[in-house]
Amino acid sequence: MIATRDETLAIRHSDDVVRVRQAVRGEAIAAGLGLVDQTKIVTAASELARNTLDYGLGGTARIETFTDAPRRGVRLTFEDHGPGIADLDQALTDGFTSGSGLGLGLSGARRLSNEFTIHSVVGEGTRVMIARWK
Amino acid sequence: MDRIPILKLGSALLVSIQVDIHDQLARALEEDLSARIVATGARGVMIDISGLDVVDSFMGRMLDNIAAVSRLLDADTVVVGMRPAVAITLVELGLSLTGVKTALNVERGMALIGDGRYEALEDDRAAEGADDRDPG
């Protein structure tokens, strides 16, 4: 797998969530994803960026495009040093929320991605990696 | 602070979201719209999202909330202009916006909330009264 482009954005304010959406859109186009795939990865990115802000108390979004023949796509890594998630199974359940949201953020982002991995340690933080390819 | 403009069109209010907006701006729109419904006595609210290339769960919830609040304030809400890729993504996300009426475009949306009738708003009626002309 070859990473062809790579950038990291800070997520500190809700403006940054907009910036992440726009940057992911740009990379998804560069990776040659179709319109529906672009929309899915940008929507997933929006959910995860908001989680990083609201639950992770801020963090970073790393946006990479990759070529892994015959696949080309976008890989996103959201990382925070917030409180972490104690029960991942529960957090990934539709409708479960510890905040005021709909509880679709993590589960929805997983459905919208071809690949989804999450790693979280209570007291240390959370890292979510998703990818979508054509 | 930035605000999304709310236009009056007959007995309805029209909002066109043209750019990707951040969460605070979406919350402000929710509050502004409910205040304008009460101030104008509008019977319908039309939200044009043809400019949005992404609707995530937050924006979806905001549309749902606006529809619910409008209903309590005696106004119908219709969301128009959703892009096909956005609709596909929303359903996969698990958000089918069951509480929101939708229409393909502004014209059809107007027919839906106004039932074809373009009633005058409260302030328009007052103006007509002062004018004292026979509408026939």
Side-chain angles (χ1 to χ4, degrees):
Chain A
M1 185 179 301
I2 307 158
T4 43
R5 288 154 74 122
D6 189 346
E7 66 176 315
T8 300
L9 301 177
I11 303 173
R12 297 265 167 249
H13 309 284
S14 64
D15 279 2
D16 296 329
V17 177
V18 176
R19 269 190 278 279
V20 168
R21 285 200 288 261
Q22 289 166 350
V24 172
R25 172 75 65 177
E27 295 305 306
I29 292 169
L33 295 186
L35 187 56
V36 172
D37 285 336
Q38 287 170 31
T39 306
K40 286 180 178 177
I41 189 80
V42 174
T43 305
S46 186
E47 301 294 339
L48 296 176
R50 185 176 295 103
N51 280 357
T52 299
L53 183 66
D54 291 348
Y55 301 111
L57 312 173
T60 54
R62 183 176 179 190
I63 306 165
E64 298 164 275
T65 54
F66 65 88
T67 301
D68 187 11
R71 289 174 183 162
R72 279 174 74 204
V74 183
R75 184 172 47 230
L76 310 173
T77 310
F78 294 84
E79 201 158 9
D80 67 61
H81 298 289
I85 302 168
D87 188 338
L88 276 179
D89 287 340
Q90 192 182 41
L92 281 163
T93 305
D94 266 353
F96 174 80
T97 177
S98 60
S100 58
L102 291 170
L104 291 173
L106 273 183
S107 55
R110 179 161 68 171
R111 276 197 296 277
L112 293 171
S113 308
N114 294 122
E115 197 180 320
F116 177 98
T117 58
I118 182 164
H119 180 73
S120 189
V121 178
V122 172
E124 288 182 20
T126 301
R127 187 176 66 241
V128 183
M129 195 276 285
I130 61 172
R132 183 140 198 121
W133 53 75
K134 55 181 262 180
Chain B
M1 187 187 170
D2 291 339
R3 282 288 203 262
I4 298 171
I6 300 171
L7 308 174
K8 197 178 70 173
L9 193 67
S11 62
L13 299 175
L14 174 64
V15 176
S16 188
I17 305 174
Q18 301 283 354
V19 290
D20 192 355
I21 61 174
H22 59 77
D23 295 0
Q24 270 85 13
L25 194 53
R27 283 199 192 95
L29 174 64
E30 200 178 332
E31 286 175 23
D32 290 351
L33 256 179
S34 41
R36 282 292 297 275
I37 291 167
V38 172
T40 60
R43 303 305 303 273
V45 174
M46 184 153 48
I47 305 172
D48 172 25
I49 59 165
S50 59
L52 287 185
D53 56 14
V54 167
V55 174
D56 64 5
S57 67
F58 182 89
M59 179 64 78
R61 179 166 57 130
M62 190 209 69
L63 295 173
D64 244 344
N65 285 356
I66 287 174
V69 170
S70 304
R71 201 174 302 123
L72 291 176
L73 298 175
D74 197 22
D76 276 337
T77 301
V78 61
V79 170
V80 305
M82 185 182 291
R83 299 186 186 186
V86 169
I88 291 166
T89 302
L90 268 179
V91 170
E92 194 154 331
L93 187 63
L95 201 65
S96 38
L97 295 184
T98 46
V100 183
K101 279 186 197 166
T102 53
L104 277 185
N105 53 43
V106 171
E107 205 172 8
R108 288 198 193 180
M110 207 63 209
L112 204 60
I113 53 174
D115 196 24
R117 291 172 288 118
Y118 291 77
E119 295 165 21
L121 287 177
E122 297 295 334
D123 49 350
D124 293 340
R125 283 191 203 114
E128 279 166 22
D131 203 4
D132 205 28
R133 272 184 308 190
D134 187 343

